[in-house]
């Protein structure tokens, strides 16, 4: 089955064409970073307006690149139906539902986080089920036991900020422009190890919950302690923050593997692009004989290829939505069912 997929849950407009036999045929992502940068964060109304303008031209280009021209070559459409910014989600949902109606093909609303979880299935050596997944994005930090597609048991999540937020908010305090996570990671490479030691939140307690909001306060105190910050000071703080977040994620992931008795780990979501996280996670995993899988870098952050994988599994199993255009700002991951089971 060949499908078109759309992603518009936040500030990336993306489309992909995926074939059940041949895999990913084409994909494109447009990031709205320049649009939101002067505001220091995503402005939902501007995001929606920009998706409306961008999505259809992107769809036309991916269809052309995949060699599909219109209805006769596309057998289904998947789109991100939540969670996310409701206005932004509705732009993708409306386009997907309208194209599906015009072409007479089924369409399905995909859970954005299921997309992130399944992104490593796009790789030539995909992870096996069951496995533990660490999902680390701008809005979520979760440990999940994945029994199969649509079988997700939440093991633990953050009580406050997500790991990506810890990076982004700390980056803002260091004067880096939005979205600061990747920039903070870049300057952290020049940082002197050990000059700033930040707390490893919740590591002293049992359980698989996270809490990252205290870290930005610790960074704030470090920044305020000096009247001016040199480039090196900034790099040192960034290094300390990155180590604290990464160590916390690694220790809790290993704990989740112990508790579930599983030996396969998936790390996905925007923060899984972080080099230091991959480095430390891979070392810890190999010491325990655990295999760890990551999406390729371009599929860590938001994209439509991952929505295509999740949507294809469901459309191919005969699932589809009613013609109403629906999106959900909130949508618990654990409420999903395996493909074809409604
Ligand atoms: O998955 P994603 O694209 O969007 C959400 O669904 O939230 O994740 C975006 C998050 C942002 O917080 C961004 O700063 C973070 O991922 N991120 C990184 C890196 N690349 C993206 N954080 C740390 N290091 C990176 N290399
Ligand atoms: Zn995402």
């Amino acid at each position: 089955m060949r499908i078109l997929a759309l992603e518009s849950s936040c500030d990336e407009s993306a489309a992909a064409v995926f074939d059940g036999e041949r895999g990913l045929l084409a994909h494109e992502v447009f990031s709205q970073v320049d649009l939101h940068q002067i505001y220091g964060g995503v402005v939902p109304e501007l995001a929606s307006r920009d998706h409306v303008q961008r999505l259809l031209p992107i769809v036309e280009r991916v269809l052309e690149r995949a060699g599909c021209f219109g209805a006769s070559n596309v057998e289904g459409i998947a789109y991100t139906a939540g969670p996310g910014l409701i206005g932004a989600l509705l732009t993708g949902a409306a386009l997907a539902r309208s194209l599906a109606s015009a072409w007479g093909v089924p369409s399905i609303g995909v859970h954005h986080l299921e997309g992130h979880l399944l992104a490593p299935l796009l790789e030539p050596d995909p992870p096996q089920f069951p496995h533990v997944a660490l999902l680390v994005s701008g809005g979520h930090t979760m440990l999940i036991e994945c029994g199969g597609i649509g079988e997700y048991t939440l093991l633990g999540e953050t009580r406050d900020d997500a790991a990506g937020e810890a990076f982004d908010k700390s980056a803002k305090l260091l004067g880096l422009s939005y979205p600061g996570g990747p920039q903070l990671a870049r300057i952290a490479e020049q940082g002197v190890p050990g000059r700033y030691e930040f707390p490893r939140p919740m590591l002293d307690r049992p359980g698989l919950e996270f809490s990252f909001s205290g870290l930005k306060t610790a960074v704030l105190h470090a920044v305020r302690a000096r009247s001016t910050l040199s480039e090196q000071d900034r790099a040192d703080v960034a290094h300390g923050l990155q180590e604290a977040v990464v160590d916390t994620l690694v220790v809790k992931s290993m704990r989740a593997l112990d508790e579930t008795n599983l030996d396969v780990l998936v790390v996905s979501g925007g923060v899984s692009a972080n080099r230091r996280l991959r480095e430390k996670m891979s070392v810890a995993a190999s010491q325990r004989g655990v295999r760890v899988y990551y999406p390729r870098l371009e599929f860590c952050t938001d994209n439509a290829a991952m929505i295509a994988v999740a949507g294809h599994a469901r459309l191919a199993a005969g699932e589809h939505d009613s013609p109403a255009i629906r999106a959900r700002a909130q949508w618990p991951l654990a409420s999903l069912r395996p493909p074809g089971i409604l």
Side-chain angles (χ1 to χ4, degrees), residues 2 60-61 63-74 103:
R2 184 177 295 187
E60 285 182 343
R61 283 195 294 274
L63 286 175
E64 192 178 329
R65 253 180 269 139
C68 301
F69 299 95
S72 57
N73 285 293
V74 173
W103 292 346

Short mmCIF file of all heavy atoms in Angstrom, two decimals, residues 2 60-61 63-74 103:
data_model
loop_
_atom_site.label_atom_id
_atom_site.label_comp_id
_atom_site.label_asym_id
_atom_site.label_seq_id
_atom_site.Cartn_x
_atom_site.Cartn_y
_atom_site.Cartn_z
N ARG A 2 0.51 2.22 -0.85
CA ARG A 2 1.30 3.45 -0.93
C ARG A 2 0.49 4.61 -0.32
O ARG A 2 -0.67 4.79 -0.67
CB ARG A 2 1.62 3.77 -2.39
CG ARG A 2 2.50 4.97 -2.53
CD ARG A 2 2.86 5.20 -3.96
NE ARG A 2 3.67 4.11 -4.50
CZ ARG A 2 4.23 4.14 -5.70
NH1 ARG A 2 4.02 5.18 -6.49
NH2 ARG A 2 4.97 3.15 -6.13
N GLU A 60 2.67 18.57 -3.14
CA GLU A 60 2.86 18.44 -4.59
C GLU A 60 4.29 18.00 -4.91
O GLU A 60 4.51 17.14 -5.76
CB GLU A 60 2.53 19.76 -5.29
CG GLU A 60 1.03 19.98 -5.34
CD GLU A 60 0.62 21.25 -6.07
OE1 GLU A 60 1.47 22.13 -6.28
OE2 GLU A 60 -0.57 21.34 -6.43
N ARG A 61 5.26 18.58 -4.20
CA ARG A 61 6.66 18.23 -4.49
C ARG A 61 6.98 16.79 -4.09
O ARG A 61 7.64 16.08 -4.86
CB ARG A 61 7.61 19.20 -3.76
CG ARG A 61 7.72 20.55 -4.44
CD ARG A 61 8.92 21.33 -3.91
NE ARG A 61 8.79 21.71 -2.51
CZ ARG A 61 8.17 22.83 -2.09
NH1 ARG A 61 7.65 23.66 -2.97
NH2 ARG A 61 8.09 23.10 -0.81
N LEU A 63 4.92 14.26 -3.89
CA LEU A 63 4.23 13.34 -4.81
C LEU A 63 5.00 13.25 -6.12
O LEU A 63 5.18 12.16 -6.67
CB LEU A 63 2.80 13.83 -5.09
CG LEU A 63 1.78 13.64 -3.95
CD1 LEU A 63 0.44 14.28 -4.33
CD2 LEU A 63 1.59 12.15 -3.63
N GLU A 64 5.48 14.40 -6.59
CA GLU A 64 6.22 14.40 -7.85
C GLU A 64 7.53 13.61 -7.70
O GLU A 64 7.86 12.77 -8.53
CB GLU A 64 6.51 15.85 -8.26
CG GLU A 64 7.03 15.95 -9.68
CD GLU A 64 7.26 17.40 -10.09
OE1 GLU A 64 6.54 18.29 -9.58
OE2 GLU A 64 8.17 17.61 -10.89
N ARG A 65 8.23 13.86 -6.61
CA ARG A 65 9.51 13.16 -6.40
C ARG A 65 9.31 11.65 -6.25
O ARG A 65 10.17 10.87 -6.62
CB ARG A 65 10.22 13.72 -5.17
CG ARG A 65 11.41 14.58 -5.56
CD ARG A 65 12.10 15.11 -4.34
NE ARG A 65 11.55 16.40 -3.98
CZ ARG A 65 11.31 16.81 -2.74
NH1 ARG A 65 11.54 16.03 -1.72
NH2 ARG A 65 10.83 17.99 -2.52
N ALA A 66 8.16 11.28 -5.69
CA ALA A 66 7.88 9.84 -5.50
C ALA A 66 7.30 9.22 -6.77
O ALA A 66 7.05 8.01 -6.82
CB ALA A 66 6.92 9.65 -4.34
N GLY A 67 7.08 10.05 -7.78
CA GLY A 67 6.52 9.54 -9.03
C GLY A 67 5.03 9.24 -8.93
O GLY A 67 4.50 8.43 -9.70
N CYS A 68 4.33 9.90 -7.99
CA CYS A 68 2.88 9.70 -7.84
C CYS A 68 2.16 10.95 -8.31
O CYS A 68 2.45 12.04 -7.83
CB CYS A 68 2.49 9.55 -6.38
SG CYS A 68 3.28 8.21 -5.56
N PHE A 69 1.25 10.80 -9.20
CA PHE A 69 0.49 11.97 -9.64
C PHE A 69 -0.98 11.74 -9.37
O PHE A 69 -1.68 11.11 -10.16
CB PHE A 69 0.77 12.29 -11.11
CG PHE A 69 2.22 12.60 -11.33
CD1 PHE A 69 3.10 11.61 -11.75
CD2 PHE A 69 2.72 13.85 -11.04
CE1 PHE A 69 4.45 11.89 -11.91
CE2 PHE A 69 4.06 14.13 -11.19
CZ PHE A 69 4.94 13.15 -11.62
N GLY A 70 -1.42 12.20 -8.18
CA GLY A 70 -2.84 12.18 -7.87
C GLY A 70 -3.36 10.84 -7.43
O GLY A 70 -2.63 9.95 -7.00
N ALA A 71 -4.66 10.73 -7.55
CA ALA A 71 -5.42 9.65 -6.92
C ALA A 71 -4.95 8.25 -7.28
O ALA A 71 -4.89 7.37 -6.43
CB ALA A 71 -6.89 9.82 -7.30
N SER A 72 -4.61 8.02 -8.56
CA SER A 72 -4.38 6.64 -8.97
C SER A 72 -3.18 6.01 -8.30
O SER A 72 -3.02 4.80 -8.30
CB SER A 72 -4.22 6.59 -10.49
OG SER A 72 -3.17 7.43 -10.85
N ASN A 73 -2.30 6.83 -7.73
CA ASN A 73 -1.08 6.28 -7.14
C ASN A 73 -1.03 6.32 -5.63
O ASN A 73 -0.10 5.82 -5.04
CB ASN A 73 0.13 7.03 -7.68
CG ASN A 73 0.43 6.61 -9.09
OD1 ASN A 73 0.83 5.48 -9.31
ND2 ASN A 73 0.20 7.50 -10.03
N VAL A 74 -1.98 6.94 -5.00
CA VAL A 74 -1.99 7.03 -3.54
C VAL A 74 -3.20 6.27 -3.01
O VAL A 74 -4.33 6.52 -3.41
CB VAL A 74 -2.01 8.50 -3.05
CG1 VAL A 74 -2.19 8.57 -1.55
CG2 VAL A 74 -0.75 9.23 -3.47
N TRP A 103 -9.94 12.13 -3.59
CA TRP A 103 -9.32 10.98 -4.27
C TRP A 103 -10.06 9.67 -4.00
O TRP A 103 -9.72 8.63 -4.58
CB TRP A 103 -7.85 10.81 -3.82
CG TRP A 103 -6.95 11.92 -4.27
CD1 TRP A 103 -7.21 12.87 -5.22
CD2 TRP A 103 -5.62 12.20 -3.78
NE1 TRP A 103 -6.14 13.73 -5.36
CE2 TRP A 103 -5.15 13.33 -4.49
CE3 TRP A 103 -4.80 11.61 -2.83
CZ2 TRP A 103 -3.88 13.88 -4.26
CZ3 TRP A 103 -3.54 12.16 -2.61
CH2 TRP A 103 -3.09 13.28 -3.31
#
